[in-house]
Structure formats: C-alpha cells, structure tokens
Amino acid sequence: MAIHNDIQLRTATLADIDSIMKIESAGFIAQIQEAQTVFEKRIKVCPSLFLVFEDKASGMIVGYLSAEYMSHVPESATQLALGHEPCAVVSSIIYISSFSILPEYRGNGTGSFLWNKALEYFESLGTANTFLLLVNEAWGGAKHIYKKSGFEVIDIFENFFPTEGKNTTAGILMKKNL
C-alpha cells in the first residue's frame, strides 16, 4: 500500500468516472451514494474543484473530493440534498460535497493528509475565503479530520441522512473561514 507521499492530487476527468464510482460505492451506503450522472455533471461544471487522489506507482485512483462553488451559506438542508445542481458561478464559498478514499487507505492518516492537501490546493486557487461541508453526525473519524483542520459547526439539519434501516441521522454543516 502507498504511503502519503506516494499519492498525488490532480483534477478529475470523465475518464476517471469508473474509479470514482467504485470509491463512492465502497465509501457510502446505497441510500447516500451519488449517481454517476451527478458526478459527471460536477466534473463538467466545476472541473478545477473535482479532485482525485492517485497512487503514483500504480496509477490507481484511491480517493476523490468533489466540490463546487456556492453563492451563500445554505439555510436549509434541501439545498444540499443528493443530486443537487452544482453552481457554475465562481464565488467566495467552496462547498465540499463529497470526500472518500478506499477502505484499505483508511486508518493510517492518509485521509487527513489528502484532506489537507486538497484544502491547500483550493486555497491556492485564490477564489474562496470560506469552505463549507456537511458531515453525518455518525462519522466520528471524518468529523475529527474536519475539526482538526479548522472547521466549526454552524448548523445541524436533523433527520438529513438515511441509514440502512428506517432511521435517520443529523447532518452537521461546518464552516472554515480563511
């Protein structure tokens, strides 16, 4: 398995979609997976904000991060629902809509390393002064990474994420100002 420095960040292309969908399937339960057409649209609409993490030695894509611009901080959960339309207008807010790495790359700091590399890349674009994300209240590891990188809770959307049963969990809206 690759170590952190053996993984490079690059912008995604439509040729990467099969690998992205494999990671999406491995990272999320079926009820909260995005459709392939949604990711294809995000790659087309915001090409500089859809990233893949590629193992330098094998060329295998081991993770992705999908982001888009937002014109304002959402006041309701419906603006963040699965399949929402990405905003093509460059603004000062970048909404990170999805981040996942393959299970075999988790638990050793790789996720945190790649997360921080992606944030550095977004900061280097010079367009945004605010980052937003929505995280499931049940995802302790993800929340830890986000808090450690400076994100703070700004809202909670009850009953946002479906579970494999009939229950739901809250979505936690987090923000980081640059």
Side-chain angles (χ1 to χ4, degrees):
M1 180 183 328
I3 56 170
H4 309 313
N5 293 333
D6 293 334
I7 301 173
Q8 65 186 0
L9 171 153
R10 67 170 174 80
T11 55
T13 69
L14 291 175
D16 299 321
I17 199 67
D18 289 342
S19 296
I20 293 166
M21 295 312 299
K22 176 184 171 190
I23 296 161
E24 178 76 356
S25 177
F28 301 102
I29 62 170
Q31 294 88 330
I32 59 173
Q33 290 175 18
E34 286 286 11
Q36 180 172 325
T37 55
V38 171
F39 281 140
E40 290 169 342
K41 188 166 194 173
R42 289 182 184 160
I43 290 169
K44 290 176 188 174
V45 171
C46 299
S48 65
L49 300 183
F50 201 124
L51 307 175
V52 292
F53 308 110
E54 185 176 63
D55 184 301
K56 291 177 188 177
S58 68
M60 183 173 88
I61 295 173
V62 302
Y64 75 85
L65 188 148
S66 171
E68 61 203 68
Y69 291 106
M70 289 200 126
S71 59
H72 63 282
V73 175
E75 296 176 11
S76 76
T78 57
Q79 296 169 286
L80 305 173
L82 282 177
H84 70 270
E85 288 293 316
C87 177
V89 178
V90 175
S91 76
S92 63
I93 300 172
I94 292 179
Y95 171 61
I96 301 166
S97 56
S98 191
F99 170 60
S100 188
I101 60 174
L102 290 171
E104 57 268 31
Y105 287 80
R106 296 181 194 156
N108 60 6
T110 300
S112 183
F113 173 80
L114 296 175
W115 173 258
N116 288 314
K117 284 293 177 193
L119 291 181
E120 288 173 16
Y121 165 77
F122 289 148
E123 288 179 34
S124 77
L125 295 176
T127 56
N129 60 22
T130 303
F131 294 132
L132 293 175
L133 62 84
L134 185 71
V135 63
N136 189 319
E137 69 176 329
W139 299 342
K143 288 188 302 186
H144 176 75
I145 289 171
Y146 305 150
K147 285 180 181 179
K148 192 173 175 182
S149 65
F151 281 77
E152 297 179 352
V153 174
I154 60 167
D155 206 346
I156 296 176
F157 301 125
E158 295 297 333
N159 304 310
F160 184 85
F161 287 100
T163 64
E164 291 179 304
K166 294 186 181 214
N167 297 323
T168 58
T169 55
I172 300 171
L173 187 61
M174 300 181 82
K175 177 180 174 183
K176 176 181 179 173
N177 292 320
L178 300 182

